[in-house]
Amino acid sequence: MPEYPEIHSRAREMKLALVTRSFTNIEVVQPRCLNLPKTRFIHELVGAKVLDVGHKGKWLMVETTKGWLLLNLGMGGELLLVTRATLPKKYRLLFDLDDGSCFAVNFWWFGYAHYVATGELDRHEMTARLGPNALPITVEDLGRMISGRRGGVKSFLIDQSNIAGIGNAYVHDILFLARLHPLRTLDTLSTEDVTRLAEAIHKGLQPSADKGGAFYEVNIHGQGGGFTGDDILIGYKEGKDCPNCGTKIEKIKTGGTSSFICPQCQKLS
DNA sequence: CGGGCTGTTGACTC
DNA sequence: AGAGTCAACAGCCC
């Protein structure tokens, strides 16, 4: 599940590998992930030269001379820099580059590859309504966003229109670091809680971003990330000891998703 | 073999 | 506003 640390790392790798390269040919295996008919998508981007690669939350933003290529990997996928001789078994899109290499894009069916014309980014609703990127967020930003709201803190954090980049993998450790129960409501948070939450967002994402993302995701060269199971504090560690107090970590249902908490460190009231 | 679970997002409902 | 459910149908686990 690629979230901020993985997407941030992929964007950095793609920037190094793709800037100044041109797409000489594009193959679309799964047209349903596009926002345009296949032939038009290909027409718009063939011949485009990559100018820059960045990201907004979980969306990769590839800026080219002919417009934007926007990628969302959904629940998982691989972005691989390969050659025609080393193609992966599965890919949904393939971009041949002018140096003979290929950029292969694979994801589960609910990923997206969208084309947006230069200057029209604000008309792309799925990215236009994203909140600010999670990592650079400040205590002041967060306080402003939370004030006057009443929903649960977990649903707030993973709602991309509030903050972009946090998903249901990193949110467990973020809430643990903030000592907040996922179902705590925003109107019950003290100034100290908000301060700790802002710090926790940073502490929960930065180490993984620095290590190239989680071990279960691969970079564009096919190598796993350096953020290992040992680096994860409590997420997906049901039954293990809380690193803070030793209490057994619990898995609980929080609305539509599961959460991992230390029942001692993250009390609801 | 098959059912249950998971992750993302938008649409939709209450 | 916010919470819940569903649908888009892959892969893993038991």
Side-chain angles (χ1 to χ4, degrees):
Chain A
M1 318 114 248
E3 297 179 21
Y4 194 98
E6 289 76 35
I7 300 303
H8 185 74
S9 303
R10 292 306 86 78
R12 199 171 40 204
E13 296 151 16
M14 286 168 66
K15 183 170 169 130
L16 279 170
L18 300 183
V19 169
T20 73
R21 296 275 66 76
S22 298
F23 302 138
T24 55
N25 182 59
I26 299 173
E27 200 179 308
V28 177
V29 181
Q30 175 52 284
R32 292 175 72 178
C33 64
L34 308 179
N35 62 335
L36 296 177
K38 174 177 161 176
T39 49
R40 228 195 103 201
F41 177 86
I42 293 169
H43 173 77
E44 296 291 357
L45 283 168
V46 161
K49 180 171 157 184
V50 179
L51 297 172
D52 197 9
V53 184
H55 74 112
K56 279 178 90 173
K58 304 170 189 175
W59 282 84
L60 282 158
M61 319 283 286
V62 182
E63 186 182 12
T64 79
T65 50
K66 293 182 71 178
W68 296 86
L69 169 64
L70 310 182
L71 297 170
N72 182 300
L73 297 184
M75 304 210 285
E78 307 86 46
L79 301 168
L80 296 168
L81 188 68
V82 292
T83 66
R84 280 276 165 183
T86 60
L87 290 183
K89 285 194 193 82
K90 280 198 164 183
Y91 56 86
R92 309 246 177 180
L93 295 113
L94 189 66
F95 297 82
D96 283 291
L97 305 175
D98 58 354
D99 63 354
S101 60
C102 305
F103 184 63
V105 177
N106 186 41
F107 41 65
W108 295 8
W109 69 268
F110 30 76
Y112 305 99
H114 287 181
Y115 169 78
V116 177
T118 304
E120 308 260 296
L121 257 193
D122 55 348
R123 290 176 55 186
H124 185 255
E125 289 197 18
M126 291 173 81
T127 53
R129 73 165 150 238
L130 294 173
N133 270 343
L135 209 38
I137 226 157
T138 66
V139 184
E140 291 74 26
D141 293 334
L142 193 63
R144 223 174 296 122
M145 283 188 263
I146 285 177
S147 90
R149 303 190 48 161
R150 307 191 330 258
V153 64
K154 179 181 178 182
S155 40
F156 171 83
L157 288 173
I158 62 177
D159 182 340
Q160 303 302 296
S161 64
N162 298 135
I163 300 172
I166 302 172
N168 201 43
Y170 286 92
V171 73
H172 310 300
D173 278 7
I174 289 173
L175 287 168
F176 172 72
L177 285 163
R179 302 288 186 258
L180 294 174
H181 189 285
L183 296 179
R184 270 286 292 278
T185 54
L186 298 174
D187 56 329
T188 68
L189 299 187
S190 66
T191 311
E192 291 72 30
D193 288 329
V194 175
T195 304
R196 261 186 292 112
L197 183 55
E199 285 167 5
I201 291 171
H202 199 265
K203 283 188 205 163
L205 300 175
Q206 186 75 60
S208 183
D210 288 343
K211 292 180 176 188
F215 65 94
Y216 50 78
E217 300 282 342
V218 298
N219 66 16
I220 66 168
H221 307 293
Q223 298 150 340
F227 192 76
T228 69
D230 291 340
D231 295 315
I232 298 170
L233 300 171
I234 67 158
Y236 307 96
K237 295 195 168 180
E238 186 181 11
K240 300 253 175 61
D241 295 342
C242 165
N244 186 49
C245 72
T247 304
K248 298 283 184 222
I249 294 160
E250 292 178 2
K251 179 180 182 179
I252 60 169
K253 278 282 167 198
T254 45
T257 60
S258 295
S259 294
F260 295 84
I261 60 160
C262 168
Q264 187 63 36
C265 297
Q266 295 163 273
K267 291 193 183 294
L268 190 48
S269 52

